[in-house]
Amino acid sequence: MRMRLMLLGGGNALGQALIRLGAEEDIGFLAPRPPDQGWDAPSLTNLLDDNRPDVVINLAYYFDWFQSGHVDEAVLSNQERAVERLAELCQHHQFVLMQPSSYRVFDGARTTAYSEKDEVAPLDARSWALWRMEQSVRALCPRHVLLRFGWLLDDSSHGLMGRFLQRLEQSDELPLADDRRGNPTPVEDAARVILAVLKQLDCQAPLWGTYHYGGHEASTPLVVGQALMAEAAHHRQLKIDTLTAVAHAACTDAADEPQHGVLACKKIFNTFGIKPRAWRTGLPNLLERYYRHG
């Protein structure tokens, strides 16, 4: 790869997956350690002035955006300012900015898959922050790729999947929605997509814009939970043997979580040739890594 790649967030689950996949193809990343307080506008300014990469992959706030149960609004506000500054810096230095986003920018009111042209309608503070950050990137840095992902599953102990697996060993009952839909996406698959996009940008293809990606076969939390439970049973003694189906409206996060968050992935296929992978095929390796860490 001719381009110099800077990865912000190399220590989190998606960053680690990207580094692992890159290493298999001799693609390296400059992955600086964040300051103690995390990346903010001044530290990003110094970092980019000093290092001058060709591409910045911003996974710095991955956990808050994709895995955390709740994010404080003051934290989100600081992240917005940092992303705005990052976009300004990338435009100033003529770097490419790759920025992740989420299905959460939609309200989930429609039952068909969302394309990149559909109107957004965020439901909660995190979703609104993600949408404002998207707008900052578009306005300030024309050379950008915004990647909206579906339900990301990773091997971190405090992530969505980790919290679910822990409850399997501790709870007597675990309710999951059977009328909520999205694209489960193992973190290795998301990393594969990022790497595939980077390779084409390395060929000087000016394919800027917003793209959707989610694992093949839209599903419900109940079905995903059942698949994870079957795989987890190979590793641990579980306290629960069946999951309880409930309505989306009865879930504690119903006001914040889109009921229908399925993403249409035609544009990323037509532009980059990236085909969605079946999410189920990624579960064995994902759980293997999770339990090995634990």
Side-chain angles (χ1 to χ4, degrees):
M1 177 134 348
R2 291 171 301 219
M3 298 188 307
R4 293 184 73 224
L5 306 175
M6 176 175 281
L7 172 59
L8 303 179
N12 62 49
L14 181 52
Q16 287 288 297
L18 187 55
I19 289 169
R20 279 196 304 273
L21 282 186
E24 292 174 9
E25 303 187 40
D26 290 327
I27 296 172
F29 296 88
L30 178 64
R33 288 180 65 89
D36 291 340
Q37 81 280 6
W39 294 113
D40 56 15
S43 58
L44 288 170
T45 302
N46 293 334
L47 179 74
L48 267 64
D49 283 349
D50 292 345
N51 288 279
R52 306 294 172 99
D54 298 304
V55 182
V56 180
I57 304 111
N58 180 25
L59 306 182
Y61 313 112
Y62 162 80
F63 187 85
D64 284 348
W65 295 352
F66 294 100
Q67 299 296 323
S68 178
H70 173 76
V71 189
D72 187 86
E73 289 194 42
V75 171
L76 289 167
S77 181
N78 289 336
Q79 292 172 355
E80 281 187 59
R81 284 195 293 274
V83 169
E84 186 174 333
R85 181 60 181 148
L86 186 61
E88 290 172 346
L89 289 164
C90 286
Q91 172 61 6
H92 174 73
H93 293 296
Q94 288 296 289
F95 305 153
V96 176
L97 176 57
M98 183 177 283
Q99 172 83 5
S101 190
S102 170
Y103 68 95
R104 288 177 174 276
V105 297
F106 301 109
D107 64 6
R110 59 180 287 173
T111 55
T112 51
Y114 286 96
S115 81
E116 293 81 356
K117 293 179 180 177
D118 285 319
E119 288 287 322
V120 303
L123 290 176
D124 66 351
R126 173 165 40 184
S127 310
W128 276 109
L130 286 167
W131 171 235
R132 286 192 295 267
M133 286 184 263
E134 284 191 13
Q135 291 175 298
S136 286
V137 169
R138 289 190 192 96
L140 298 170
C141 182
R143 286 158 49 90
H144 69 263
V145 174
L146 277 159
L147 281 173
R148 288 180 183 151
F149 287 111
W151 298 344
L152 286 175
L153 304 174
D154 72 26
D155 53 335
S156 62
S157 60
H158 301 299
L160 288 170
M161 189 184 81
R163 296 196 298 273
F164 171 78
L165 293 175
Q166 287 156 29
R167 289 182 68 188
L168 288 180
E169 296 181 49
Q170 298 163 359
S171 305
D172 293 316
E173 186 180 49
L174 215 169
L176 289 174
D178 65 351
D179 60 346
R180 178 186 291 179
R181 297 173 70 249
N183 303 95
T185 310
V187 72
E188 292 280 337
D189 193 23
R192 171 186 73 94
V193 171
I194 293 173
L195 202 60
V197 171
L198 289 171
K199 285 179 187 175
Q200 298 215 29
L201 296 181
D202 194 45
C203 300
Q204 308 299 312
L207 304 171
W208 320 124
T210 302
Y211 299 90
H212 286 178
Y213 184 80
H216 179 62
E217 189 196 346
S219 198
T220 67
L222 182 65
V223 169
V224 178
Q226 288 166 339
L228 287 171
M229 191 166 74
E231 198 62 44
H234 299 310
H235 298 271
R236 289 284 195 277
Q237 185 75 36
L238 306 180
K239 197 170 180 184
I240 292 175
D241 54 11
T242 56
L243 300 170
T244 306
V246 295
H248 164 80
C251 296
T252 55
D253 62 352
D256 303 332
E257 182 70 26
Q259 181 172 2
H260 300 285
V262 178
L263 298 177
C265 303
K266 285 181 183 173
K267 183 181 175 186
I268 201 166
F269 173 70
N270 291 337
T271 307
F272 294 103
I274 296 170
K275 289 184 181 177
R277 249 184 215 169
W279 58 268
R280 292 173 187 270
T281 61
L283 295 190
N285 284 342
L286 189 60
L287 271 75
E288 172 69 32
R289 275 200 315 277
Y290 171 80
Y291 285 114
R292 194 166 66 236
H293 294 164

